[in-house]
Amino acid sequence: MITTDALLAITVVWGFVFIYAVMATMDFGAGFWSMIYINREKTNATNIANRYLSPTWEVTNVFIVAIVVALFSFFPGATFILGTVLLIPGSIILLLLAIRSGFLVFSHYSKGYEKALTYVSGISGFIIPAILLLVLPITHGGFIEVVNGSHQLQLDKLFTSPNAYAFSGFAITSTLFLSSLLLSDYSNVANEPEAYKVYRRDALILGPLSLVMGFLIMLTLRTEANWLYMNMMKYLPFLIGSVAMFMIAGGALFLPSQKDKRTLGRPRIAVVAVTIQYFLASYAYGRAHLPYMLYPDVSIQDGFTHPNTFHAVFITYIVGFLILFPGFFYFWRLFMKDKRYLKQNES
C-alpha cells in the first residue's frame, strides 16, 4: 500500500529527474556538436554550440544535486541499497562529469589547447548519457544478486543484456536529437542561417533513430522485464500520445519559417512538442515502475522516511523552488530571447 506522502515524494524526485534529463541531454549534446563542427568555421555551428554550452552547464548541475539530496531526504532506506548497487556506474559517471566540467572551464582560458579540451569534453559528454541511462535497466531486476545480505550488481549480466544496450542507444540518439533541435532553435533566434540548416538536418536524421531505439526498448523489455512491459501497456494512450507529439515535431520542421518563407522549419514548436513527447513517455514509464524503486526488493514505501521528516523537507523544497524558479525563468528568457545578449556573444 503506497501512502500519499510516499507518492508525492517520488513525484518530486521524478520531476527533478525529468528536468535534469532534458537539460542534461541538450547540454551533453552541445558539447558533442561543438567537437564535431570545430573545423567547419563557415557554418558557425561550433560557435553556436559553445554559446549555448557556456552558460548552461552550471545550471544543469544544480538539478543533479537536487536529485541526490531528494533521494537521501525522502528515501534513506532505499538510497543505501541503490548506492551499493550503483557504486561502480555512479563512480564512473561522477568521474566523467568532473573531467568534463574541468575541461569546459579550462577551454575558455587555455586558448592554445582549446581544440584538445573541446575533444575531451565532447567525448565525455557523449559517453555520460549512455552510462547514466544504464541505471534504469538495473532497477528492473535480474542484474542484482544478494550475497551475505548485501546487494551486488552482476556486471556480466548487465553487459550481455540487449535491453541495457537499447537504453544506452536511446540515451545517445536522444541526446544528439534534443541538442541538435534546441541548437537549431538557438541558431534561428541568433540569425545564423547556416548553423540553423546544419542542426535542422541533424535533427531530421537523429529524430527517427531515437524513435527506433524507443521501440527497441519496448521489444527488449517484453522479454527481460515483462512485469514492467505489461504495466506500461496500461498506459498505452500516453505512449501513443508521445509518438503523436514526435510526429508534430517532425512536421514543424517542414513548415515555412516565420522569418523567411523560403526557409523551412519552426524549431520552437518542435522543441516544445518533443519536450511534451518525452514527458508523456517518461510518465508512462514512471507510473508503470511503481511501487518499486528496485525490483523486486525495494518499494518506495519500504525506503520512505518518517512522515514528519518528509513534511518538513517538502515545505523546504517548495520554498526553495519558489525562490529559484523566477531566476531560472529569467535566465532562460535572457538566454533564448534577449537580442542584446545574443549580440554581445557574437561580438
Side-chain angles (χ1 to χ4, degrees):
M1 182 66 181
I2 306 176
T3 63
T4 303
D5 286 347
L7 191 60
L8 192 58
I10 199 65
T11 301
V12 171
V13 174
W14 174 85
F16 284 143
V17 170
F18 176 75
I19 294 172
Y20 176 74
V22 173
M23 292 187 66
T25 52
M26 294 175 177
D27 177 40
F28 293 140
F32 176 80
W33 294 123
S34 174
M35 177 186 70
I36 290 297
Y37 294 120
I38 193 169
N39 294 318
R40 294 179 59 179
E41 297 178 359
K42 289 184 178 180
T43 64
N44 210 22
T46 287
N47 187 26
I48 286 290
N50 287 335
R51 255 191 257 170
Y52 173 82
L53 191 62
S54 180
T56 56
W57 66 276
E58 299 99 330
V59 177
T60 303
N61 289 335
V62 170
F63 288 96
I64 197 170
V65 175
I67 293 169
V68 175
V69 172
L71 281 172
F72 272 99
S73 303
F74 295 148
F75 303 99
T79 304
F80 175 77
I81 298 176
L82 284 172
T84 303
V85 171
L86 301 176
L87 180 62
I88 294 177
S91 299
I92 295 172
I93 291 167
L94 287 175
L95 178 62
L96 290 173
L97 282 172
I99 292 172
R100 182 173 185 269
S101 298
F103 277 113
L104 280 172
V105 172
F106 291 132
S107 66
H108 291 287
Y109 296 99
S110 304
K111 297 301 180 183
Y113 300 94
E114 189 172 10
K115 283 193 175 183
L117 299 177
T118 299
Y119 280 114
V120 171
S121 64
I123 293 171
S124 61
F126 181 76
I127 297 172
I128 290 170
I131 301 177
L132 269 174
L133 220 62
L134 279 179
V135 172
L136 296 183
I138 291 173
T139 65
H140 299 166
F143 306 111
I144 299 170
E145 184 178 349
V146 180
V147 180
N148 298 324
S150 177
H151 292 75
Q152 296 182 4
L153 178 63
Q154 304 298 303
L155 290 174
D156 55 337
K157 293 182 179 179
L158 179 65
F159 289 120
T160 55
S161 165
N163 187 238
Y165 287 107
F167 269 97
S168 289
F170 179 75
I172 293 170
T173 53
S174 292
T175 295
L176 301 183
F177 171 52
L178 278 170
S179 58
S180 60
L181 196 59
L182 188 73
L183 288 172
S184 69
D185 183 30
Y186 189 55
S187 302
N188 190 46
V189 174
N191 293 317
E192 296 283 358
E194 293 301 320
Y196 167 71
K197 291 176 183 178
V198 168
Y199 287 123
R200 176 183 174 273
R201 179 204 63 198
D202 293 335
L204 289 172
I205 294 171
L206 289 159
L209 289 177
S210 67
L211 187 64
V212 169
M213 296 309 299
F215 283 119
L216 284 177
I217 286 176
M218 295 302 296
L219 288 174
T220 53
L221 270 182
R222 190 171 186 176
T223 56
E224 295 192 35
N226 189 256
W227 69 273
L228 183 58
Y229 174 83
M230 296 306 296
N231 285 345
M232 289 188 72
M233 288 299 100
K234 298 176 183 177
Y235 299 95
L236 187 60
F238 289 92
L239 297 176
I240 294 173
S242 176
V243 175
M245 294 309 298
F246 174 82
M247 297 301 178
I248 291 173
L253 292 177
F254 289 97
L255 293 175
S257 173
Q258 289 179 312
K259 291 184 176 181
D260 185 358
K261 298 301 180 181
R262 295 171 296 178
T263 304
L264 293 178
R266 301 272 183 99
R268 183 61 55 86
I269 297 175
V271 169
V272 173
V274 167
T275 303
I276 296 172
Q277 172 205 347
Y278 280 84
F279 177 84
L280 293 173
S282 61
Y283 176 81
Y285 173 85
R287 289 289 296 179
H289 207 291
L290 291 177
Y292 300 105
M293 294 186 73
L294 188 64
Y295 182 86
D297 300 318
V298 183
S299 70
I300 61 172
Q301 197 62 50
D302 295 335
F304 191 54
T305 189
H306 191 277
N308 292 338
T309 303
F310 165 72
H311 293 148
V313 175
F314 185 68
I315 291 171
T316 304
Y317 267 104
I318 292 175
V319 174
F321 183 77
L322 290 175
I323 294 172
L324 289 174
F325 181 77
F328 285 130
F329 178 77
Y330 177 74
F331 166 81
W332 184 257
R333 188 175 181 84
L334 173 72
F335 175 58
M336 290 298 290
K337 289 188 175 182
D338 195 290
K339 301 297 184 183
R340 293 171 300 173
Y341 177 81
L342 294 173
K343 289 180 180 178
Q344 180 183 358
N345 274 281
E346 285 172 2
S347 62

